[in-house]
Amino acid sequence: MVNTSSNNKNPYGKLIRLLEEQLAHSNQQNKDLSKKLDQSTKQIEALTEQIRHLTKLLYGSKSEKSKYNVPDGQGSLFDDDPAFSEPEHTEEQSQQTISYTVVRKVKSKKRNDSLHDGIEVEAIHHHPKNTICDCCQGQMIEIGSTLVREEAKFIPAKMMKVQHIEHAYECKDCKVDSSQPAQIKRGKAPQPAIQRSIASPSVLAKVIYDKFAQYLPLYRQVKEWNRYGLNTNDKNLSNWVIRVAHDWLLPVYERMKELMMAKSVLHVDETYGQIINRSDGKSGKANAYNWVFRSVCQAKVNNDSLSKRIISSSICP
């Protein structure tokens, strides 16, 4: 019976000893972690203090007396000795006086509006209404003039109706003589820029200038022409631009192209876009390519006709 009870107690004793060892090991780990935590806390506090001090040096108020700012809680090595805080006085320095004068340049204020140099000038002279002296009733003479101000004057455009009338002349003497044919001469009016159109060259130039230089769409130009006194629509303006480009500007373009293709050096830039109604019958979804050519004045003329044909064929879409 004794042996059985001793065997039963032994497992509990081993378990107790094992738990005690684990508890002691856990306590030792807690102590080590506490020490590490204390060290980390002190390190964080030191770094925080260092950051606060550096921030104060960077953004805080600065004194011109010393280039060195003493940290909070630390004494200065130079405060106790007056030799470091007071300036050194010598005989020459005490008798020397420095004076200076600050000269500031006054900039003239520029106007934010001015006229170009090539603008036509109209001078309006203003004379006194009465040039008789009030004292002696004698004639006064001019002694000078002063330019008081300059102003911009705008002369707006106006619409005019120009009628071309051809006059016919007949010889009365030849008309009496039945043996002579009738002699009639008629004045010849110049050909219009566009046949069967009231658009004059000045109107066409204005339409093209507003569209391509001022980027004013044709449907907006219709309202402006209506205010001037010309009733039209954007379809007519579009037809005018097309006819001018084909009848008057195409020969200029062909001549410029001929001269440029003869150059030995060409710079080419390619741009593509989509055209809804294409003249070549292709779909509007297909890209149409435009090429911009430019040469330089120093480029020599290439006399090789073969190279001209090759370059000319490359610009065809």
Side-chain angles (χ1 to χ4, degrees), residues 79-249:
D79 291 341
D80 298 335
D81 194 351
F84 294 99
S85 60
E86 297 180 0
E88 181 180 2
H89 295 281
T90 60
E91 183 178 359
E92 295 180 358
Q93 291 178 346
S94 60
Q95 296 178 357
Q96 184 179 5
T97 302
I98 300 175
S99 61
Y100 58 91
T101 304
V102 177
V103 180
R104 296 182 178 178
K105 296 182 179 179
V106 179
K107 296 183 179 179
S108 60
K109 186 177 179 180
K110 296 182 179 180
R111 294 178 59 92
N112 56 2
D113 52 356
S114 61
L115 295 173
H116 295 175
D117 296 335
I119 296 296
E120 182 181 356
V121 179
E122 178 185 2
I124 301 177
H125 299 271
H126 303 276
H127 298 276
K129 296 181 180 180
N130 186 9
T131 58
I132 302 299
C133 180
D134 296 336
C135 179
C136 64
Q137 302 301 319
Q139 181 65 37
M140 304 178 71
I141 62 174
E142 184 178 358
I143 59 174
S145 61
T146 303
L147 178 61
V148 180
R149 73 175 189 275
E150 292 181 346
E151 61 184 15
K153 180 180 179 181
F154 177 70
I155 303 176
K158 63 179 181 179
M159 185 65 61
M160 294 182 60
K161 180 188 294 185
V162 180
Q163 296 179 344
H164 294 272
I165 302 173
E166 296 181 349
H167 293 270
Y169 291 82
E170 182 184 21
C171 179
K172 296 296 183 180
D173 297 335
C174 295
K175 184 178 181 181
V176 175
D177 190 358
S178 60
S179 62
Q180 297 291 335
Q183 298 293 328
I184 299 175
K185 291 185 179 181
R186 180 185 295 272
K188 188 64 175 177
Q191 292 293 328
I194 300 177
Q195 295 293 335
R196 296 180 297 278
S197 174
I198 64 174
S200 65
S202 60
V203 173
L204 297 175
K206 174 68 173 173
V207 172
I208 295 174
Y209 173 78
D210 287 345
K211 177 175 175 57
F212 296 101
Q214 299 296 332
Y215 304 101
L216 186 63
L218 296 178
Y219 73 92
R220 292 185 180 178
Q221 295 188 32
V222 173
K223 298 181 180 179
E224 184 177 2
W225 287 114
N226 190 13
R227 288 192 293 267
Y228 285 147
L230 176 62
N231 296 324
T232 184
N233 52 58
D234 54 351
K235 184 177 180 180
N236 287 341
L237 298 182
S238 178
N239 291 332
W240 291 354
V241 174
I242 295 173
R243 295 308 308 174
V244 169
H246 183 270
D247 297 342
W248 296 98
L249 300 181

Side-chain angles (χ1 to χ4, degrees), residues 17-30:
R17 286 194 299 270
L18 180 61
L19 294 175
E20 290 177 350
E21 291 177 358
Q22 291 181 354
L23 180 61
H25 182 68
S26 299
N27 292 333
Q28 185 65 29
Q29 285 184 347
N30 291 335

Side-chain angles (χ1 to χ4, degrees), residues 260-279:
M260 183 171 292
M261 291 301 112
K263 296 290 186 177
S264 59
V265 177
L266 282 179
H267 303 281
V268 185
D269 178 69
E270 181 185 76
T271 304
Y272 67 90
Q274 292 184 353
I275 301 177
I276 299 177
N277 297 324
R278 298 187 56 168
S279 59

